[in-house]
Amino acid sequence: MTKSQLIEALAKAEGITLKAAEVAVNVTFESMEKALMQGDRVEIRGFGSFKVKNYDGYKGRNPKTGELIEVRPKRLPFFKVGKELKERVDKH
């Protein structure tokens, strides 16, 4: 499902305009993004949770040239599926 399909599904389910549904979806995603950027955890009961994981820097190799490179530390979003969603998906 794409973002535009989600917007269409919301508009249809709630009987609202596409523009209103788009605003709702954008506000939801922007709020989640802002929380993650601040280091907060985002939990959607029955679906799963998002958090930011910190990864240390390390020395790696360029697979093409074999040259030794320094990989900088980074912060990446991580999603953990909730038990209810896992069970619902497994039933199908």
Side-chain angles (χ1 to χ4, degrees), residues 9 27 33 35 46 56 64 71 87:
V27 166
E33 180 181 339
D56 293 332
K64 195 170 190 177
V71 179
E87 290 171 353

Side-chain angles (χ1 to χ4, degrees), residues 22-77:
E22 181 180 12
V23 168
V25 169
N26 285 338
V27 166
T28 301
F29 288 154
E30 288 167 8
S31 298
M32 291 171 64
E33 180 181 339
K34 193 175 196 178
L36 290 170
M37 288 171 64
Q38 293 172 349
D40 296 334
R41 184 171 173 264
V42 176
E43 181 180 337
I44 303 168
R45 299 265 177 188
F47 186 75
S49 62
F50 298 85
K51 70 178 185 176
V52 175
K53 282 191 171 184
N54 294 310
Y55 294 92
D56 293 332
Y58 59 93
K59 294 191 187 309
R61 290 207 180 270
N62 179 331
K64 195 170 190 177
T65 65
E67 174 187 357
L68 194 62
I69 57 171
E70 186 72 30
V71 179
R72 296 183 313 197
K74 55 190 157 195
R75 300 174 63 217
L76 295 173

